[in-house]
Amino acid sequence: MTAAPPVRPLFAALDIGGTKIAGALVDERGELSHRLQLPTPAARSGAAVLAVVHQVLDRLATAPGWAAVTAVGIGSAGPVDLRHGTVSPVNIPGWRAFPLVAEVAAHPAVAGAAVPVALAGDGVAMAAAEQWRGAARDAANALCLVVSTGVGAGLVLDGAVRPGPSGNAGHLGHISVDLDGDPCPCGSRGCLEGIASGPAIARRAVARGWRPSDGGEDRSARAVAADALAGDPVALASFDRAAQALAAGIAATAALVDLDRVVIGGGVAAAGAPLFDPLARHLDRYAALPYVRGLDVRRAELGTDAGLIGAAALCRPAPAGCQALPGPL
């Protein structure tokens, strides 16, 4: 009798942000199956947000491959606290020091499978994904940014993803790039996220008189990007300001840790030229030191799947010679 082929291990992955909560099963090659997402009720209570996480897990647990799941990985908007397994996303007010790892581990399907749970910030998860299968896979030192509802980032240094002791290393969205800028919900002022995120781009354009050229009601950064591509000066100016802030943050990070590559993904990056053209121009001005000039800036390759692939990457053994991310708890 021919022996049955061995069952390949799978990872359950969760990607939690201010707009959506996504889940998937991911194999050891980084291929996704049973992908789903639900909107994040970010303005509601912490319990309401957790209920959506449970709904995603409920549906993943009905997938035929669930029995092969060996770990659950979570990439969450931050900041995170790896020591205590908690999250405090700036854009999910109901979660402050929220015990996400414990709550996911207690879900009946996860507890029943007796599998470990790993956590990382969404920027670190994106960096892990792009290093594994994307635009940072051959870079020794890279900054990987997610520019979307917020601005997250993760660092690859000496060939390994470096989350730092708390899990927030590279959290670029909350460095100050405008010392007298607007207050940020994080408690600081002039944060990069408050200038370069999608909602910030849209707010700035609307405040300066932009209205969608198609006469519609969409006031999102996506609509601003469409008009910027068509040459609308106000839309272009709003993206230029976002690109300037990003350039300042990227140049400062490069000066600090000596980067050779920058990978940018997220919904705002999907705008293309309205973001990347002024970014290149502003980097020429801010990245002035000889060792940070000529940064290799690339678009992320994994698109909206990066968070899920990165969450799964948290569960993988590190390649030989590389330091592992904090493993499943």
Side-chain angles (χ1 to χ4, degrees):
M1 180 180 295
T2 303
V7 176
R8 291 183 178 273
L10 292 174
F11 312 119
L14 296 174
D15 178 17
I16 300 173
T19 302
K20 57 96 172 65
I21 296 172
L25 299 184
V26 187
D27 68 18
E28 55 194 354
R29 297 166 299 180
E31 299 293 334
L32 276 65
S33 62
H34 305 287
R35 190 186 191 285
L36 71 143
Q37 71 178 50
L38 297 173
T40 304
R44 296 178 59 194
S45 68
V49 179
L50 179 62
V52 177
V53 174
H54 281 180
Q55 289 176 46
V56 172
L57 285 169
D58 289 343
R59 290 169 63 174
L60 289 179
T62 65
W66 181 262
V69 167
T70 59
V72 178
I74 309 168
S76 173
V80 302
D81 182 343
L82 295 187
R83 295 185 185 93
H84 299 99
T86 62
V87 300
S88 302
V90 174
N91 51 8
I92 304 178
W95 279 5
R96 290 294 175 266
F98 188 80
L100 183 59
V101 168
E103 291 287 359
V104 168
H107 182 277
V110 178
V115 295
V117 178
L119 171 67
D122 54 0
V124 171
M126 185 263 199
E130 292 290 337
Q131 185 202 32
W132 180 16
R133 291 195 52 208
R137 59 184 171 272
D138 57 347
N141 301 286
L143 171 68
C144 299
L145 293 112
V146 182
V147 188
S148 186
T149 307
V151 177
L155 289 166
V156 176
L157 300 176
D158 297 325
V161 178
R162 305 290 185 181
S166 71
N168 297 291
H171 196 30
L172 201 64
H174 292 284
I175 65 169
S176 294
V177 293
D178 182 353
L179 300 185
D180 298 313
D182 293 335
C184 178
C186 79
S188 186
R189 301 186 72 93
C191 287
L192 175 59
E193 180 170 295
I195 299 172
S197 68
I201 290 170
R203 282 195 305 270
R204 186 165 51 247
V206 170
R208 286 159 177 73
W210 169 81
R211 297 295 182 270
S213 61
D214 62 6
E217 296 300 320
D218 187 354
R219 302 288 196 273
S220 68
R222 183 181 296 107
V224 179
D227 279 0
L229 281 167
D232 182 287
V234 177
L236 284 166
S238 189
F239 268 93
D240 183 86
R241 176 62 170 150
Q244 181 186 23
L246 283 169
I250 289 167
T253 305
L256 187 66
V257 298
D258 203 359
L259 301 171
D260 49 44
R261 185 170 302 168
V262 177
V263 177
I264 304 177
V268 172
L275 179 71
F276 284 93
D277 288 354
L279 177 62
R281 185 174 68 253
H282 289 301
L283 275 173
D284 278 344
R285 181 154 59 104
Y286 289 112
L289 291 168
Y291 72 96
V292 298
R293 290 199 65 80
L295 281 171
D296 179 7
V297 179
R298 302 188 183 187
R299 299 186 196 188
E301 295 180 2
L302 300 178
T304 57
D305 289 336
L308 291 168
I309 294 171
L314 307 177
C315 307
R316 298 172 64 240
C322 288
Q323 174 183 321
L325 286 167
L329 302 179

